[in-house]
Amino acid sequence: MNAPLVLLDLDGTLMDSAPGITSSVAHAYRALGIPVPDDATLRTFVGPPITDSFPDHGVPPERTAEAVAAYREAFTAGGMFDNAVFDGVPDVLRALRDAGCTLLVATSKPEVYAKPICDRFGISDLVDGVHGAPLDEGTSTKADVIAAALAAQGRRSPVEPAEGPVLMVGDREHDVHGAAVHGVDCLGVSWGYAPPGELERAGAVAVVDEVPALAPAVRELLSAAL
């Protein structure tokens, strides 16, 4: 049997990346001459593919590529590093590794950004790999990212429990839905960017409210799957 595998979302789960993302999104709206959404709406951009979020919030579909280009202009100029690891997350990752878990970041953020961000903030040293979307996010879903992470570990989809337990940890509904495609449960975290009740409605197996409780919750769910 393989070691227990834990797939970890990045934005809103391991890192508070809202400042850099929301400021870059606001820049894109201003560049297009479209009114900038309110702060609550801007926060909903954190997590899902940016190519989905712009047309969902007032950007005409034919201008989505223009909006993405303007967003990335600000994001690569510094917004991508305007974030921070949530307090206690490094301790959680160390505890899970000490418990024998394989840890993989699985994020909808383009991998070309996710890897240097994880490198800059020390996440890469605490996990066994970083998997993200292609630069053209519109061609990828969270399920696709999870598929790549599973394949990198030689895991099949749907996941075969006899090969070792697998668990997703995330803060938005697309984490739950993407994991479900592969027969994987998702443990939600409430310190991210989901509106109240989103994770529960999506079918998260449980929701953790405090970072120190995450490692014990992950271990309990993995043990129950053995």
Side-chain angles (χ1 to χ4, degrees), residues 42-61:
L42 287 174
R43 282 179 66 84
T44 69
F45 279 74
V46 186
I50 201 77
T51 48
D52 293 342
S53 296
F54 277 125
D56 286 345
H57 296 291
V59 174

PDB file of all heavy atoms in Angstrom, residues 42-61:
ATOM      1  N   LEU A  42     -14.533  40.922  -5.192  1.00  0.00           N
ATOM      2  CA  LEU A  42     -13.131  40.714  -5.553  1.00  0.00           C
ATOM      3  C   LEU A  42     -12.561  39.490  -4.847  1.00  0.00           C
ATOM      4  O   LEU A  42     -11.790  38.728  -5.428  1.00  0.00           O
ATOM      5  CB  LEU A  42     -12.304  41.949  -5.210  1.00  0.00           C
ATOM      6  CG  LEU A  42     -12.495  43.177  -6.099  1.00  0.00           C
ATOM      7  CD1 LEU A  42     -11.716  44.364  -5.542  1.00  0.00           C
ATOM      8  CD2 LEU A  42     -12.066  42.888  -7.536  1.00  0.00           C
ATOM      9  N   ARG A  43     -12.970  39.241  -3.605  1.00  0.00           N
ATOM     10  CA  ARG A  43     -12.452  38.096  -2.863  1.00  0.00           C
ATOM     11  C   ARG A  43     -12.894  36.773  -3.483  1.00  0.00           C
ATOM     12  O   ARG A  43     -12.216  35.756  -3.322  1.00  0.00           O
ATOM     13  CB  ARG A  43     -12.896  38.163  -1.394  1.00  0.00           C
ATOM     14  CG  ARG A  43     -12.089  39.145  -0.565  1.00  0.00           C
ATOM     15  CD  ARG A  43     -12.576  39.180   0.866  1.00  0.00           C
ATOM     16  NE  ARG A  43     -12.358  37.927   1.571  1.00  0.00           N
ATOM     17  CZ  ARG A  43     -11.221  37.583   2.169  1.00  0.00           C
ATOM     18  NH1 ARG A  43     -10.172  38.392   2.129  1.00  0.00           N
ATOM     19  NH2 ARG A  43     -11.118  36.434   2.809  1.00  0.00           N
ATOM     20  N   THR A  44     -14.018  36.783  -4.198  1.00  0.00           N
ATOM     21  CA  THR A  44     -14.481  35.540  -4.818  1.00  0.00           C
ATOM     22  C   THR A  44     -13.591  35.127  -5.988  1.00  0.00           C
ATOM     23  O   THR A  44     -13.692  33.995  -6.460  1.00  0.00           O
ATOM     24  CB  THR A  44     -15.934  35.644  -5.306  1.00  0.00           C
ATOM     25  OG1 THR A  44     -16.011  36.548  -6.424  1.00  0.00           O
ATOM     26  CG2 THR A  44     -16.862  36.119  -4.195  1.00  0.00           C
ATOM     27  N   PHE A  45     -12.727  36.023  -6.442  1.00  0.00           N
ATOM     28  CA  PHE A  45     -11.788  35.683  -7.518  1.00  0.00           C
ATOM     29  C   PHE A  45     -10.661  34.778  -7.024  1.00  0.00           C
ATOM     30  O   PHE A  45      -9.951  34.183  -7.834  1.00  0.00           O
ATOM     31  CB  PHE A  45     -11.165  36.952  -8.108  1.00  0.00           C
ATOM     32  CG  PHE A  45     -12.026  37.665  -9.110  1.00  0.00           C
ATOM     33  CD1 PHE A  45     -13.122  38.396  -8.712  1.00  0.00           C
ATOM     34  CD2 PHE A  45     -11.724  37.607 -10.468  1.00  0.00           C
ATOM     35  CE1 PHE A  45     -13.910  39.062  -9.638  1.00  0.00           C
ATOM     36  CE2 PHE A  45     -12.510  38.264 -11.405  1.00  0.00           C
ATOM     37  CZ  PHE A  45     -13.613  38.993 -10.986  1.00  0.00           C
ATOM     38  N   VAL A  46     -10.480  34.696  -5.717  1.00  0.00           N
ATOM     39  CA  VAL A  46      -9.382  33.915  -5.161  1.00  0.00           C
ATOM     40  C   VAL A  46      -9.795  32.445  -5.127  1.00  0.00           C
ATOM     41  O   VAL A  46     -10.729  32.064  -4.431  1.00  0.00           O
ATOM     42  CB  VAL A  46      -9.017  34.385  -3.748  1.00  0.00           C
ATOM     43  CG1 VAL A  46      -7.777  33.632  -3.268  1.00  0.00           C
ATOM     44  CG2 VAL A  46      -8.768  35.884  -3.723  1.00  0.00           C
ATOM     45  N   GLY A  47      -9.099  31.623  -5.901  1.00  0.00           N
ATOM     46  CA  GLY A  47      -9.378  30.193  -5.923  1.00  0.00           C
ATOM     47  C   GLY A  47      -9.761  29.671  -7.283  1.00  0.00           C
ATOM     48  O   GLY A  47      -9.018  28.901  -7.890  1.00  0.00           O
ATOM     49  N   PRO A  48     -10.927  30.080  -7.822  1.00  0.00           N
ATOM     50  CA  PRO A  48     -11.340  29.559  -9.139  1.00  0.00           C
ATOM     51  C   PRO A  48     -10.438  30.093 -10.252  1.00  0.00           C
ATOM     52  O   PRO A  48      -9.747  31.108 -10.083  1.00  0.00           O
ATOM     53  CB  PRO A  48     -12.772  30.106  -9.291  1.00  0.00           C
ATOM     54  CG  PRO A  48     -13.214  30.483  -7.923  1.00  0.00           C
ATOM     55  CD  PRO A  48     -11.975  30.906  -7.200  1.00  0.00           C
ATOM     56  N   PRO A  49     -10.434  29.437 -11.404  1.00  0.00           N
ATOM     57  CA  PRO A  49      -9.679  29.965 -12.543  1.00  0.00           C
ATOM     58  C   PRO A  49     -10.115  31.386 -12.888  1.00  0.00           C
ATOM     59  O   PRO A  49     -11.310  31.678 -12.955  1.00  0.00           O
ATOM     60  CB  PRO A  49     -10.013  28.981 -13.678  1.00  0.00           C
ATOM     61  CG  PRO A  49     -10.378  27.716 -12.976  1.00  0.00           C
ATOM     62  CD  PRO A  49     -11.072  28.142 -11.709  1.00  0.00           C
ATOM     63  N   ILE A  50      -9.159  32.255 -13.103  1.00  0.00           N
ATOM     64  CA  ILE A  50      -9.462  33.657 -13.385  1.00  0.00           C
ATOM     65  C   ILE A  50     -10.274  33.798 -14.675  1.00  0.00           C
ATOM     66  O   ILE A  50     -11.081  34.716 -14.827  1.00  0.00           O
ATOM     67  CB  ILE A  50      -8.143  34.472 -13.457  1.00  0.00           C
ATOM     68  CG1 ILE A  50      -8.413  35.963 -13.239  1.00  0.00           C
ATOM     69  CG2 ILE A  50      -7.406  34.237 -14.756  1.00  0.00           C
ATOM     70  CD1 ILE A  50      -8.645  36.306 -11.808  1.00  0.00           C
ATOM     71  N   THR A  51     -10.096  32.862 -15.587  1.00  0.00           N
ATOM     72  CA  THR A  51     -10.826  32.905 -16.858  1.00  0.00           C
ATOM     73  C   THR A  51     -12.314  32.647 -16.668  1.00  0.00           C
ATOM     74  O   THR A  51     -13.116  33.000 -17.528  1.00  0.00           O
ATOM     75  CB  THR A  51     -10.243  31.877 -17.840  1.00  0.00           C
ATOM     76  OG1 THR A  51     -10.102  30.620 -17.169  1.00  0.00           O
ATOM     77  CG2 THR A  51      -8.884  32.323 -18.357  1.00  0.00           C
ATOM     78  N   ASP A  52     -12.687  32.012 -15.566  1.00  0.00           N
ATOM     79  CA  ASP A  52     -14.099  31.824 -15.246  1.00  0.00           C
ATOM     80  C   ASP A  52     -14.661  33.031 -14.519  1.00  0.00           C
ATOM     81  O   ASP A  52     -15.815  33.423 -14.721  1.00  0.00           O
ATOM     82  CB  ASP A  52     -14.298  30.584 -14.364  1.00  0.00           C
ATOM     83  CG  ASP A  52     -13.983  29.289 -15.083  1.00  0.00           C
ATOM     84  OD1 ASP A  52     -13.936  29.291 -16.336  1.00  0.00           O
ATOM     85  OD2 ASP A  52     -13.784  28.275 -14.390  1.00  0.00           O
ATOM     86  N   SER A  53     -13.849  33.623 -13.650  1.00  0.00           N
ATOM     87  CA  SER A  53     -14.348  34.676 -12.765  1.00  0.00           C
ATOM     88  C   SER A  53     -14.648  35.979 -13.493  1.00  0.00           C
ATOM     89  O   SER A  53     -15.636  36.658 -13.177  1.00  0.00           O
ATOM     90  CB  SER A  53     -13.332  34.933 -11.647  1.00  0.00           C
ATOM     91  OG  SER A  53     -13.186  33.790 -10.827  1.00  0.00           O
ATOM     92  N   PHE A  54     -13.820  36.363 -14.455  1.00  0.00           N
ATOM     93  CA  PHE A  54     -14.071  37.633 -15.154  1.00  0.00           C
ATOM     94  C   PHE A  54     -15.437  37.651 -15.856  1.00  0.00           C
ATOM     95  O   PHE A  54     -16.227  38.570 -15.640  1.00  0.00           O
ATOM     96  CB  PHE A  54     -12.947  37.945 -16.138  1.00  0.00           C
ATOM     97  CG  PHE A  54     -11.745  38.594 -15.518  1.00  0.00           C
ATOM     98  CD1 PHE A  54     -10.478  38.048 -15.669  1.00  0.00           C
ATOM     99  CD2 PHE A  54     -11.868  39.775 -14.779  1.00  0.00           C
ATOM    100  CE1 PHE A  54      -9.358  38.645 -15.099  1.00  0.00           C
ATOM    101  CE2 PHE A  54     -10.762  40.381 -14.210  1.00  0.00           C
ATOM    102  CZ  PHE A  54      -9.497  39.812 -14.367  1.00  0.00           C
ATOM    103  N   PRO A  55     -15.758  36.670 -16.688  1.00  0.00           N
ATOM    104  CA  PRO A  55     -17.081  36.718 -17.336  1.00  0.00           C
ATOM    105  C   PRO A  55     -18.234  36.568 -16.356  1.00  0.00           C
ATOM    106  O   PRO A  55     -19.349  37.027 -16.640  1.00  0.00           O
ATOM    107  CB  PRO A  55     -17.046  35.555 -18.335  1.00  0.00           C
ATOM    108  CG  PRO A  55     -15.897  34.715 -17.947  1.00  0.00           C
ATOM    109  CD  PRO A  55     -14.930  35.577 -17.220  1.00  0.00           C
ATOM    110  N   ASP A  56     -17.980  35.963 -15.187  1.00  0.00           N
ATOM    111  CA  ASP A  56     -19.027  35.837 -14.173  1.00  0.00           C
ATOM    112  C   ASP A  56     -19.317  37.159 -13.482  1.00  0.00           C
ATOM    113  O   ASP A  56     -20.347  37.291 -12.801  1.00  0.00           O
ATOM    114  CB  ASP A  56     -18.627  34.805 -13.109  1.00  0.00           C
ATOM    115  CG  ASP A  56     -18.730  33.376 -13.609  1.00  0.00           C
ATOM    116  OD1 ASP A  56     -19.374  33.157 -14.658  1.00  0.00           O
ATOM    117  OD2 ASP A  56     -18.163  32.482 -12.948  1.00  0.00           O
ATOM    118  N   HIS A  57     -18.423  38.135 -13.642  1.00  0.00           N
ATOM    119  CA  HIS A  57     -18.561  39.389 -12.899  1.00  0.00           C
ATOM    120  C   HIS A  57     -18.394  40.612 -13.803  1.00  0.00           C
ATOM    121  O   HIS A  57     -17.595  41.510 -13.534  1.00  0.00           O
ATOM    122  CB  HIS A  57     -17.570  39.436 -11.745  1.00  0.00           C
ATOM    123  CG  HIS A  57     -17.808  38.381 -10.708  1.00  0.00           C
ATOM    124  ND1 HIS A  57     -18.910  38.383  -9.871  1.00  0.00           N
ATOM    125  CD2 HIS A  57     -17.113  37.254 -10.412  1.00  0.00           C
ATOM    126  CE1 HIS A  57     -18.876  37.331  -9.080  1.00  0.00           C
ATOM    127  NE2 HIS A  57     -17.803  36.624  -9.397  1.00  0.00           N
ATOM    128  N   GLY A  58     -19.140  40.629 -14.883  1.00  0.00           N
ATOM    129  CA  GLY A  58     -19.312  41.856 -15.650  1.00  0.00           C
ATOM    130  C   GLY A  58     -18.380  42.085 -16.815  1.00  0.00           C
ATOM    131  O   GLY A  58     -18.539  43.072 -17.540  1.00  0.00           O
ATOM    132  N   VAL A  59     -17.391  41.217 -17.029  1.00  0.00           N
ATOM    133  CA  VAL A  59     -16.502  41.379 -18.179  1.00  0.00           C
ATOM    134  C   VAL A  59     -17.113  40.648 -19.369  1.00  0.00           C
ATOM    135  O   VAL A  59     -17.373  39.446 -19.283  1.00  0.00           O
ATOM    136  CB  VAL A  59     -15.096  40.821 -17.886  1.00  0.00           C
ATOM    137  CG1 VAL A  59     -14.230  40.868 -19.145  1.00  0.00           C
ATOM    138  CG2 VAL A  59     -14.437  41.612 -16.759  1.00  0.00           C
ATOM    139  N   PRO A  60     -17.381  41.348 -20.488  1.00  0.00           N
ATOM    140  CA  PRO A  60     -17.947  40.665 -21.659  1.00  0.00           C
ATOM    141  C   PRO A  60     -17.044  39.512 -22.097  1.00  0.00           C
ATOM    142  O   PRO A  60     -15.811  39.636 -22.070  1.00  0.00           O
ATOM    143  CB  PRO A  60     -17.977  41.771 -22.731  1.00  0.00           C
ATOM    144  CG  PRO A  60     -18.004  43.051 -21.948  1.00  0.00           C
ATOM    145  CD  PRO A  60     -17.174  42.787 -20.727  1.00  0.00           C
ATOM    146  N   PRO A  61     -17.629  38.387 -22.466  1.00  0.00           N
ATOM    147  CA  PRO A  61     -16.824  37.219 -22.848  1.00  0.00           C
ATOM    148  C   PRO A  61     -15.761  37.539 -23.894  1.00  0.00           C
ATOM    149  O   PRO A  61     -14.646  36.995 -23.830  1.00  0.00           O
ATOM    150  CB  PRO A  61     -17.862  36.231 -23.384  1.00  0.00           C
ATOM    151  CG  PRO A  61     -19.123  36.590 -22.668  1.00  0.00           C
ATOM    152  CD  PRO A  61     -19.072  38.084 -22.508  1.00  0.00           C
TER     153      PRO A  61
END
